[in-house]
Amino acid sequence: MNSKPTLQDFTHAVEIATRWSDLDALGHVNNTRFFTFDESARLDYFSVLMRDDPGFWKGYGLILARIECDFVAQLHHPAQLRTGFRISRVGRSSMNTEAAHFNGEQLIAISRGVVVWFDYGQQRPLPIPEAVRQKIVAYERLAPELAS
């Protein structure tokens, strides 16, 4: 997605309250906290998506391979963020993620990552199961790119 996301682009969103400990010396929410906000939204997304799969997070699941963040505006405490999270691309064994962090209607930051479908016991990537691909496509408001 090249344009700036809006909250309406996301099926999945979580509320995240800032904390006093999130602040940096300049009095705004520190840039590193947005990676934690992304993580909270990501874990919630997959907990909802995979809630009926007892092996998920135990025998297999996801590992984070990459994360980045574009900062659009400063955020001051106290604030109640609304973080939208989505899968923007599904590959053979990895997925691209996007999270947009809003304070009210104002876009504050956009984080993007890559997660890998992973076998925890064998410590190796696995192909994303077709059933998982279908769940993601059915769940998302904006259809993810599907790699073959």
Side-chain angles (χ1 to χ4, degrees):
M1 195 168 11
N2 294 330
S3 63
K4 289 186 180 174
T6 66
L7 199 48
Q8 292 71 37
D9 293 336
F10 299 89
T11 303
H12 193 86
V14 296
E15 299 283 334
I16 301 171
T18 60
R19 302 170 305 168
W20 183 255
S21 63
D22 294 335
L23 300 181
D24 63 17
L26 299 175
H28 42 53
V29 175
N30 188 277
N31 57 13
T32 62
R33 301 306 298 150
F34 287 88
F35 295 109
T36 303
F37 301 155
D38 180 283
E39 177 186 50
S40 293
R42 179 176 0 102
L43 293 177
D44 191 73
Y45 177 98
F46 282 102
S47 291
V48 168
L49 193 74
M50 302 301 292
R51 68 178 159 244
D52 296 329
D53 186 339
F56 189 73
W57 293 134
K58 293 174 181 62
Y60 51 87
L62 302 165
I63 59 169
L64 182 66
R66 182 173 194 282
I67 192 163
E68 64 182 32
C69 193
D70 294 328
F71 301 99
V72 178
Q74 295 180 36
L75 180 63
H76 296 275
H77 175 74
Q80 185 72 26
L81 280 179
R82 184 127 177 103
T83 296
F85 185 88
R86 68 184 219 89
I87 302 299
S88 59
R89 180 183 176 279
V90 180
R92 189 186 78 73
S93 62
S94 66
M95 295 175 243
N96 293 51
T97 67
E98 179 180 65
H101 311 274
F102 297 88
N103 185 19
E105 293 296 316
Q106 182 182 20
L107 179 63
I108 302 297
I110 307 162
S111 50
R112 294 177 189 89
V114 175
V115 292
V116 175
W117 195 261
F118 203 73
D119 181 316
Y120 299 141
Q122 295 187 21
Q123 291 291 295
R124 64 179 180 83
L126 293 171
I128 299 167
E130 185 58 33
V132 173
R133 290 172 178 272
Q134 291 174 9
K135 281 184 181 187
I136 291 168
V137 169
Y139 188 61
E140 290 295 345
R141 185 167 292 147
L142 298 177
E145 176 189 337
L146 299 175
S148 47

